[in-house]
Amino acid sequence: MLVETEKLEFKEIATNEIYKEIIAFANTDGGRLLIGINDRGELTPLVNVDDVYTRVTNGIRDTIAPDVTMFTTYQLEENHTIQIDVAEGQNKPYYLKAKGLKPSGVYVRQGTSSVQASFEQIRQLIKESDGDTFESLRSLNQDLSFEQCERIFKKHELAFDQEKFNILGIKNHNSGLYTNLGLLFADQCQHTIKIAVFDDVENTIFKDRQEFFGSLLQQVEDAFKYIQLNNKTRSVIDDLVRKDYWDYPKEALREALINAVMHRDYSYSGSIIVNINRAFIEFISIGGLLPGMSREDILLGVSQLRNQKLTEVFLRLNIIEAYGTGIKRIFNLYKGSKQLPQIDVGPNSFRIRIPNRNEMV
């Protein structure tokens, strides 16, 4: 008598449960599903077996993502049972389209059972299929929109459509699914920029605070506008000429913000932090320097990219001019000043503090 094993599953009738079994086999080491045999291994011939066969094969195609049909073979047996052989898939994790890339939609084989995968198992399956580069990994959220990103591309007179998604890296060209880079540019981006204005140089007394959401490109635009609102001017009258001096060079603020966005480690869920007070403004991003890099290397203009594809999009939009020039440009803007910008690097953080030029007077 047949018995269920890690690679053999029985179903007496064809219900929606069979899709979970197919997913579990494809996400693990493959297996065989026999429909028309009960849990005890006894034959229970299917009624209208041809109709069941058609419904099952169509259901596997329409219910499971990515497409798993290339890893499944079907056989209609003379005893009115259906045999489905599932090979281990190459585009893991497979999941129920209606549930998405979350535990309720992703299944793996565990002994003789098909069980929901944990978030950690889902992440590991993605890494096995896509590699270990955060930008290229499939996004856990596939329900994405790009209204803000499209508007910004249009403003820069660049096309932003489905044809560009594979080129930019917003979609995986093999699976057709959105990547983490796509999530960063989507309206649903989970990372934010937080800006706080303080009434003291110790950053303990709040005057105002803002948090910016949405597409990373939209966040950059909105955050920079808000920072500029807090960039005051000092006026000096020289004879009949009035001269205005910004607290901070606008280009320095722009470069520091862009640097924080481009080089942060997006595998962490925290926000970019910008603190403003009367003495300085500081930009703090998650993720220290990449291995082999030092603070001195940064000051020399050496750059090692953490987010290659993100940086390439910033280049396309002319938001940056070249790799590794931002920090040097900030220091050049303060050449000859009483105080220079200050860089601090921690194991998992990077901070650049820019002094208020009008406070030095």
Side-chain angles (χ1 to χ4, degrees):
M1 184 175 67
L2 292 174
V3 295
E4 290 183 329
T5 67
E6 188 172 358
K7 291 194 173 187
L8 182 62
E9 179 75 23
F10 303 146
K11 291 295 179 186
E12 186 170 349
I13 59 175
T15 67
N16 288 339
E17 292 295 310
I18 67 171
Y19 305 125
K20 298 178 182 179
E21 309 296 346
I22 301 294
I23 288 170
F25 283 140
N27 281 335
T28 316
D29 298 316
R32 174 174 291 176
L33 176 65
L34 298 178
I35 306 175
I37 295 179
N38 64 25
D39 291 341
R40 297 183 298 277
E42 300 168 342
L43 180 66
T44 55
L46 295 169
V47 179
N48 298 323
V49 65
D50 291 327
D51 292 341
V52 174
Y53 180 87
T54 301
R55 177 163 54 85
V56 167
T57 54
N58 289 341
I60 290 173
R61 182 195 63 214
D62 297 336
T63 305
I64 299 173
D67 184 5
V68 76
T69 57
M70 66 187 75
F71 301 104
T72 56
T73 57
Y74 313 94
Q75 191 167 328
L76 189 57
E77 304 290 349
E78 292 182 358
N79 59 4
H80 285 220
T81 62
I82 299 171
Q83 176 178 305
I84 304 175
D85 288 297
V86 185
E88 180 179 358
Q90 296 179 2
N91 294 312
K92 304 175 186 178
Y94 295 89
Y95 59 92
L96 294 169
K97 289 180 182 179
K99 299 293 185 179
L101 271 171
K102 50 189 175 182
S104 60
V106 181
Y107 291 82
V108 293
R109 198 70 178 166
Q110 193 174 87
T112 59
S113 301
S114 297
V115 299
Q116 290 185 2
S118 66
F119 275 115
E120 185 54 40
Q121 286 176 309
I122 293 171
R123 292 189 185 96
Q124 188 58 42
L125 288 170
I126 291 174
K127 286 184 177 181
E128 289 174 4
S129 294
D130 297 351
D132 203 17
T133 303
F134 175 83
E135 294 176 303
S136 301
L137 296 178
R138 274 170 279 174
S139 167
L140 293 178
N141 183 358
Q142 291 292 315
D143 187 17
L144 304 180
S145 61
F146 297 89
E147 293 180 8
Q148 295 171 334
C149 196
E150 185 176 2
R151 179 188 62 77
I152 292 171
F153 267 70
K154 185 176 181 180
K155 185 173 69 174
H156 288 81
E157 298 181 348
L158 291 174
F160 186 79
D161 49 36
Q162 292 289 332
E163 187 178 332
K164 296 290 185 183
F165 284 7
N166 288 337
I167 298 173
L168 297 174
I170 289 174
K171 276 189 173 182
N172 181 297
H173 67 277
N174 289 323
S175 66
L177 298 175
Y178 289 117
T179 63
N180 281 333
L181 181 70
L183 179 60
L184 293 180
F185 288 131
D187 303 325
Q188 295 76 19
C189 177
Q190 61 190 6
H191 302 283
T192 65
I193 300 174
K194 293 180 179 180
I195 304 179
V197 183
F198 295 92
D199 201 30
D200 61 326
V201 296
E202 290 79 21
N203 291 346
T204 60
I205 304 173
F206 282 101
K207 290 178 64 178
D208 191 27
R209 68 182 81 182
Q210 294 285 336
E211 185 171 8
F212 298 96
F213 301 87
S215 169
L216 206 56
L217 293 174
Q218 185 67 52
Q219 289 184 46
V220 169
E221 281 197 356
D222 294 342
F224 185 69
K225 289 177 183 177
Y226 182 75
I227 291 169
Q228 268 300 109
L229 288 176
N230 291 276
N231 189 10
K232 309 302 182 184
T233 58
R234 179 177 64 90
S235 298
V236 176
I237 304 298
D238 185 6
D239 292 331
L240 297 178
V241 179
R242 170 178 167 162
K243 295 182 179 180
D244 293 327
Y245 298 90
W246 292 100
D247 286 347
Y248 308 96
K250 291 172 64 175
E251 188 176 357
L253 299 180
R254 175 181 175 277
E255 293 292 344
L257 176 63
I258 297 301
N259 183 78
V261 170
M262 285 200 312
H263 293 288
R264 72 150 287 176
D265 188 342
Y266 288 99
S267 63
Y268 293 93
S269 59
S271 301
I272 291 172
I273 302 296
V274 182
N275 295 323
I276 304 172
N277 61 49
R278 66 177 182 273
F280 59 82
I281 179 169
E282 61 183 8
F283 299 79
I284 305 170
S285 58
I286 298 173
L289 300 179
L290 291 174
M293 294 289 289
S294 68
R295 179 180 176 277
E296 289 70 27
D297 293 328
I298 297 297
L299 294 174
L300 289 172
V302 178
S303 179
Q304 188 174 357
L305 299 179
R306 175 178 274 120
N307 303 298
Q308 175 78 41
K309 294 183 181 296
L310 176 65
T311 304
E312 289 172 357
V313 173
F314 275 60
L315 277 169
R316 282 175 179 261
L317 294 170
N318 291 320
I319 296 175
I320 59 173
E321 297 176 0
Y323 299 140
T325 60
I327 298 296
K328 285 192 70 175
R329 189 173 292 119
I330 293 171
F331 275 82
N332 286 337
L333 289 166
Y334 276 80
K335 189 175 293 184
S337 298
K338 294 179 182 178
Q339 295 181 42
L340 296 178
Q342 177 183 331
I343 288 178
D344 297 294
V345 179
N348 296 296
S349 62
F350 181 92
R351 179 179 72 180
I352 181 166
R353 179 175 287 180
I354 301 175
N356 184 333
R357 294 186 302 184
N358 288 332
E359 286 293 313
M360 303 179 199
V361 178

